Amino acid sequence: MESIQNNMLPQHLQMNETERKLLAEEEKKYGTKLMEMPKDQKYGMCFACGEENPVGLHLHFFWIPNGVMAFFTPKPEHQSYNGRMHGGLITVLLDEIMGNYLFKKEGVPAYTARIDLRFRTPVQIGTTIRCEGHEVKRKGRLVVMEGVIINPDGTVAAEATSTLMLEK
Ligand SMILES: CCCCCCCCCCCC(=O)SCCNC(=O)CCNC(=O)[C@H](O)C(C)(C)COP(=O)(O)OP(=O)(O)OC[C@H]1O[C@@H](n2cnc3c(N)ncnc32)[C@H](O)[C@@H]1OP(=O)(O)O
């Protein structure tokens, strides 16, 4: 289901119009409504997804076949040089998409033990990017995940491989 509570949320927590339009396009591509991952009150202060964090990114995550997807539209306060999104925040998006997927799938926190990331093309402030993550393999409590960020023109902005440890 599309962010069912989206228009019931305070404005600053809502997905913007472009993000909703892109979500609808993805749903058309997959031929199904995409289910939003529920928020977790316990982690309301999470910098990436928490609704109570006043300076957070307020991401919304959707299950896709074999993984997870989110959109983000960086604001002027998210930049580094000359209107480019800050690389540290790009890392946050990738770390979160992989970690949150495992948290929701397994029901226990997944801690990032390692992240290898390649910044391929800049992300411009004000553009809406698509973030995706999926599981690659696992051995016991160690899980390898991959994540990617796609620019509006279809180019890869950044990609990452992470190793995460599931809590016992
Ligand atoms: C809606 C609400 C959402 C809210 C939630 C939103 C999701 C948030 C997503 C963000 C995720 C984060 O950023 S989490 C925050 C950043 N990350 C952290 O704080 C993690 C800090 N590091 C740690 O706590 C620790 O190092 C751990 C837990 C990762 C591992 O410690 P440990 O449990 O003691 O395990 P340890 O004995 O070291 O290792 C156990 C086995 O794993 C192997 N191992 C350990 N690390 C690695 C590694 N990187 N790559 C390969 N193998 C490894 C070891 O060799 C060993 O193998 P063997 O000898 O057994 O064969």
Side-chain angles (χ1 to χ4, degrees):
M1 71 195 86
E2 193 253 335
S3 188
I4 43 172
Q5 312 102 329
N6 195 59
N7 56 12
M8 295 164 67
L9 289 169
Q11 186 86 33
H12 74 286
L13 297 179
Q14 290 185 18
M15 290 172 71
N16 70 29
E17 201 181 322
T18 305
E19 292 165 350
R20 289 201 301 272
K21 187 169 150 261
L22 291 171
L23 173 63
E25 283 174 14
E26 290 295 310
E27 290 179 329
K28 202 169 166 194
K29 186 178 96 186
Y30 287 116
T32 183
K33 284 277 178 199
L34 297 175
M35 185 94 78
E36 181 168 356
M37 292 181 174
K39 299 283 182 180
D40 191 319
Q41 297 303 324
K42 188 176 168 190
Y43 300 107
M45 285 300 282
C46 176
F47 176 68
C49 66
E51 292 185 337
E52 289 155 40
N53 191 325
V55 295
L57 304 182
H58 305 136
L59 295 170
H60 295 253
F61 295 95
F62 295 85
W63 296 104
I64 56 173
N66 230 2
V68 59
M69 179 186 71
F71 296 100
F72 185 66
T73 309
K75 297 180 177 151
E77 59 266 35
H78 300 137
Q79 69 186 292
S80 55
Y81 302 110
N82 307 323
R84 287 178 182 219
M85 186 175 174
H86 199 291
L89 292 177
I90 290 172
T91 310
V92 168
L93 295 181
L94 285 165
D95 189 28
E96 176 77 12
I97 200 138
M98 296 183 275
N100 200 6
Y101 170 80
L102 281 177
F103 175 69
K104 290 296 180 192
K105 191 167 174 222
E106 305 298 330
V108 291
Y111 301 103
T112 309
R114 180 185 184 111
I115 182 164
D116 292 311
L117 196 144
R118 173 88 195 268
F119 299 103
R120 291 198 174 275
T121 54
V123 172
Q124 300 299 335
I125 297 302
T127 61
T128 299
I129 51 178
R130 191 175 85 246
C131 319
E132 289 193 10
H134 68 272
E135 184 175 331
V136 177
K137 63 178 180 183
R138 67 171 72 195
K139 186 179 174 198
R141 291 190 295 124
L142 272 183
V143 186
V144 176
M145 296 280 304
E146 282 178 352
V148 64
I149 293 182
I150 311 286
N151 277 315
D153 66 0
T155 55
V156 172
E159 54 198 2
T161 303
S162 273
T163 305
L164 299 104
M165 174 78 77
L166 292 168
E167 196 171 88
K168 273 187 203 146

